[in-house]
Amino acid sequence: MHIKILPTLGLMLPLFTAVAQANVEKTIFLAPAPATIPSDQPDLDDLGLERLSPQRPVVRTRLNASFPTTAAPEGTDSWFFLENLNPGQRYEVRVCWLATQPTTFTLTTYPLSKTIEDKNLLSSLSMYTAARLATVDTNIQVDVIPRRASRRSSKDPLDPAPTSDSVLFLHVHAAADYFSTDQALMQNVPPVAVDLILDPFLFNVFPRSLVPTAGWIVLVAVLAVVLGRWAVKEVGRVVGDARRQTVLEEMKKK
């Protein structure tokens, strides 16, 4: 009667599983010390970059991709802005996309000073922001691109922009990674639907988003130990009963 529980449990477990067909690429980094943004630099809000922060850790968007070329061996560039980070804390940024859109992603973070000083990075950032701002409808720009009041009006109590913050630029390369007999797909790579996720590490050791998964693993491990001990006990009882029955039968024959 009790032994039938195991097959029943085996049939029920698939009901609690889900199939996920997606790819993931990530980069891990330590948040830098707070940087003071020079007043003679263009306001970062004017760049129109989508932002990730501990308060807004997920951005769902579409990234342009292209096949690698000599001029762009890693594909098409995209830029994002990481802000309100906790200095010295370990983070990871993941990009998740459907497996039905084969793409190779490369993620790199740069501090504010390096991005401004490096001509190649600054040129890439400028071209991306110019193209992005040109394609966003000005009527909905406030909703699409998070913006804040200028730092020059910092005396305004409604201006939440900090004078210094732990920030990083996130540089994303997207290279198409497929071959198709469809010439349209080979000539015009469609944008890739992605989720960008900022995930802090607990005690700089373990990603916070994996805590529920770790909890389930511990629960399953404990359940497996309990069921394993119960199964061993039941098997031992059955074997013991069989031995006693054999001994009794032998005694009756004598």
Side-chain angles (χ1 to χ4, degrees), residues 95-107:
V95 57
C96 307
W97 71 102
L98 294 176
T100 54
Q101 293 184 288
T103 311
T104 299
F105 284 95
T106 305
L107 285 71

Side-chain angles (χ1 to χ4, degrees), residues 30-230:
L30 288 176
T36 301
I37 302 173
S39 59
D40 59 345
Q41 296 295 336
D43 198 316
L44 292 175
D45 291 327
D46 295 334
L47 298 177
L49 299 179
E50 289 194 89
R51 301 167 180 269
L52 288 95
S53 67
Q55 295 75 34
R56 187 172 181 258
V58 180
V59 169
R60 176 164 291 184
T61 185
R62 291 180 177 272
L63 299 183
N64 292 327
S66 61
F67 286 101
T69 62
T70 303
E74 295 181 299
T76 301
D77 294 354
S78 297
W79 288 84
F80 297 85
F81 192 64
L82 311 180
E83 62 180 356
N84 298 333
L85 303 176
N86 184 22
Q89 183 171 7
R90 190 179 301 276
Y91 293 84
E92 73 175 22
V93 173
R94 299 190 299 273
V95 57
C96 307
W97 71 102
L98 294 176
T100 54
Q101 293 184 288
T103 311
T104 299
F105 284 95
T106 305
L107 285 71
T108 312
T109 56
Y110 295 103
L112 182 63
S113 58
K114 180 174 178 58
T115 307
I116 294 175
E117 294 169 0
D118 191 304
K119 294 182 179 180
N120 293 330
L121 294 179
L122 187 59
S123 174
S124 173
L125 175 61
S126 300
M127 288 190 293
Y128 174 78
T129 57
R132 175 172 168 79
L133 291 173
T135 57
V136 175
D137 188 346
T138 55
N139 294 325
I140 60 174
Q141 187 167 322
V142 174
D143 295 329
V144 176
I145 303 176
R147 301 177 67 84
R148 296 179 297 189
S150 172
R151 294 187 309 276
R152 296 176 179 84
S153 61
S154 58
K155 295 182 180 179
D156 185 351
L158 298 179
D159 177 19
T163 56
S164 65
D165 191 8
S166 179
V167 298
L168 287 170
F169 283 104
L170 174 64
H171 193 189
V172 181
H173 297 278
D177 190 18
Y178 64 84
F179 177 81
S180 174
T181 56
D182 188 338
Q183 291 300 316
L185 285 177
M186 295 300 295
Q187 295 176 2
N188 300 298
V189 179
V192 184
V194 303
D195 282 343
L196 281 165
I197 304 170
L198 176 65
D199 194 8
F201 277 53
L202 291 179
F203 307 107
N204 282 2
V205 174
F206 198 74
R208 186 171 64 185
S209 64
L210 294 182
V211 171
T213 302
W216 278 108
I217 292 175
V218 172
L219 180 61
V220 171
V222 171
L223 183 61
V225 170
V226 173
L227 290 178
R229 290 181 176 179
W230 173 83

